[in-house]
Amino acid sequence: EVGAKRLLREHGVPVPDGAVCADAEVAVDMATGLPGPVVLKGIGVAHKTEHDAVRLDPPDVGAAAAELLARFPAVLVERLVVDGVAELLVGVHTDPVFGPVLSLGSGGVLTELVRDVAHLLLPVDAAEIRRALLGLRCAPLLTGYRGAPAADVDELVAVVERVVELVLGAPEVVTLEINPLIVTATGAWACDALLV
């Protein structure tokens, strides 16, 4: 996750501010320096929820960090994105037959359960990305479901374009998956990522 987020940030994909901490006191200092609530994540596992490795806005950051550090070598302390209107999956993988494929879909912990995904062969343009996003079953969340704020779809499309550009420009990348990409009324944030 840390390496993937570093690469994403270098390519203009918004990533919440944060840092890796190997000590509970350092985690508290880091959390104190971030605006608003924070999230703590154990480093070293891909499916953190299944490993009970995530602490959202813990009331005692030091205790949460110490508990995670007893099981993981370090914790990632980040600003918690709280104003999301949707959680998406954005992934690019190299298919041995078709080449690079972009996957867009419902994200978060229910990704496999919901199975709301569109696949596009690369390269694609902004119009194709927009059409795929607005064709998802979760698309009403992006357009302001039941009076909720609408997502900044233009910025969402631009973020997806940056991810595609990153992967197409880096042949050593086999897979890059962001899940979730938390979409807000003003942008989109890569809140977890996996890089192969």
Side-chain angles (χ1 to χ4, degrees):
E1 176 179 4
V2 175
K5 285 182 170 177
R6 184 181 312 113
L7 187 63
L8 288 166
R9 186 178 280 119
E10 289 170 1
H11 286 81
V13 175
V15 174
D17 290 336
V20 175
C21 305
D23 177 272
E25 288 183 19
V26 175
V28 170
D29 290 343
M30 182 67 210
T32 303
L34 294 172
V38 298
V39 57
L40 276 66
K41 296 188 248 182
I43 297 295
V45 290
H47 298 285
K48 294 174 187 64
T49 305
E50 294 170 13
H51 292 277
D52 190 31
V54 179
R55 299 293 178 271
L56 299 173
D57 192 18
D60 185 335
V61 171
E67 187 272 321
L68 289 172
L69 287 166
R71 296 186 292 126
F72 302 99
V75 294
L76 177 59
V77 181
E78 281 186 335
R79 179 181 64 82
L80 181 63
V81 178
V82 294
D83 51 355
V85 298
E87 292 188 0
L88 297 180
L89 164 107
V90 176
V92 179
H93 75 278
T94 302
D95 183 273
V97 175
F98 298 108
V101 177
L102 170 65
S103 299
L104 300 169
S106 296
V109 295
L110 301 178
T111 297
E112 290 85 3
L113 182 66
V114 175
R115 297 187 187 276
D116 178 21
V117 182
H119 302 286
L120 303 170
L121 297 180
L122 296 180
V124 293
D125 60 26
E128 292 171 290
I129 293 170
R130 180 182 298 273
R131 202 166 29 252
L133 288 166
L134 296 179
L136 296 170
R137 290 195 309 269
C138 70
L141 296 173
L142 301 175
T143 57
Y145 185 67
R146 292 194 171 190
D152 183 341
V153 177
D154 291 338
E155 179 59 19
L156 170 58
V157 169
V159 167
V160 174
E161 285 184 297
R162 289 180 210 132
V163 172
V164 169
E165 183 180 293
L166 183 168
V167 176
L168 291 182
E172 69 277 11
V173 175
V174 177
T175 300
L176 177 58
E177 180 181 295
I178 303 169
N179 185 15
L181 181 79
I182 296 184
V183 185
T184 71
T186 58
W189 297 87
C191 293
D192 199 353
L194 178 66
L195 175 67
V196 178

